[in-house]
Amino acid sequence: MKKAAIIIPYFGKWPEWFDLYLVSLSKNSKLDVIFYTDIPISYNGIEQPSNAIFKHISFDSFCSLVSKKLNIIFSPEKPYKLCDLKPFYPIIFQEELKNYDYVGWGDIDLVYGDLNAFLLSEDFCKYDIISTHCDRFSGHFCLFKNNPDLINKVLSIPNWRKLLSDNKHYGIDETLLTDIFLPRMDIPRRIFQKLGGYYGFGGKYFCRILEYLIATCYPKIHMKEMWTTPKPPKGEYFWDGKKVYQANKKELLYLHFLFFKKTPYFKKQKHYWDDNFYHLTRNDIKYNRIVKITSEGIYSL
């Protein structure tokens, strides 16, 4: 059985939905998530998943560790800069990750579906890289085969030391890293993004074209749009304790509810969840009752 691990540093305060994230993770034994955090762990009665591993460290100490491992000065003003650091986690934590077949990074504004049936199967183990976007490596969930040649290619990004030492966010985990691995796709990708990407006019049609081009030119890289990051208020999404699916019963690998909460990426959204958006009880999760997730909040049915 193939095994994957993702690294997630998280500092400050756990979001209200963190217990739901952990429970959805617990259903996916092929994935370990290793947290580096300064936050005390409180599960609100939920049993800690065996595949959630917590390493306690302060933000300053974490930045010092990064600086030492990469031989740079890494002292960002805000934790958000950690997004640029994601592709370097397999290098920074290579000793800790050495026994995994795939390594990568992710976010916690996700509800995982049935990853075991999808990722790390025989069909997918032929790929060196697995991304859930068709035009760039997905910053919220991306896996690389644990191969030094692949992992170290991030060091080919021009001026990466300077970019990491700067407080500005550069999108290294998505745009700049994708440019390194898919140089022949530069123009098609830029055209696709100028047209609005998969949210734009004809997005689904152009997605398929881009996916075909990438599969033809880079058969070892799986980049397929899996529609895991919807924009509200379109549709309702459900988690039944194992799988995530849309109202039309189409199954998703996971739900990334980026646009259902305040985010700088979607300034037009006026119906963010408020402070009381989370309406689950512990029993809802414990007994795997169906959970509905919309732009208005998370509810049990």
Side-chain angles (χ1 to χ4, degrees), residues 201-238:
F201 178 76
K204 289 188 177 182
Y205 174 75
F206 289 113
C207 267
R208 300 298 172 252
I209 295 176
L210 193 57
E211 288 168 358
Y212 173 79
L213 292 174
I214 292 174
T216 302
C217 297
Y218 302 95
K220 300 289 284 184
I221 299 178
H222 181 274
M223 292 181 66
K224 185 175 181 180
E225 187 54 53
M226 299 183 191
W227 312 101
T228 58
T229 311
K231 279 190 177 180
K234 296 179 181 179
E236 298 176 336
Y237 301 83
F238 302 87

Side-chain angles (χ1 to χ4, degrees), residues 25 72 101 108 112 125 162 174 177 182 203 254 259 301:
L25 171 63
I72 62 173
D101 301 289
I108 62 174
Y112 293 118
C125 285
K162 182 179 180 180
E174 296 191 343
L177 187 64
L182 283 75
Y254 56 81
F259 298 123
L301 299 181

Side-chain angles (χ1 to χ4, degrees), residues 7 9 11 59 62-63 65-67 69-70 72 74 76 79-93 104-105 154 160 163-165 168-174 177:
I7 298 287
F11 302 92
F59 181 65
F62 183 83
C63 292
L65 173 64
V66 170
S67 298
K69 291 286 187 177
L70 297 180
I72 62 173
F74 187 75
Y80 187 71
K81 179 64 178 178
L82 294 174
C83 292
D84 276 342
L85 195 63
K86 289 176 180 178
F88 297 87
Y89 294 155
I91 296 176
I92 298 169
F93 303 105
W105 52 89
V154 65
W160 65 268
L163 297 179
L164 286 181
S165 299
K168 182 180 176 181
H169 173 248
Y170 288 96
I172 294 176
D173 58 325
E174 296 191 343
L177 187 64

Side-chain angles (χ1 to χ4, degrees), residues 4 30 76 86 90 97 111 117 134 148 154 167 192 212 232 251 272 299:
K30 292 184 180 181
K86 289 176 180 178
L97 297 171
V111 178
C134 66
V154 65
N167 277 312
F192 176 75
Y212 173 79
E251 185 178 352
Y272 297 119
Y299 305 86

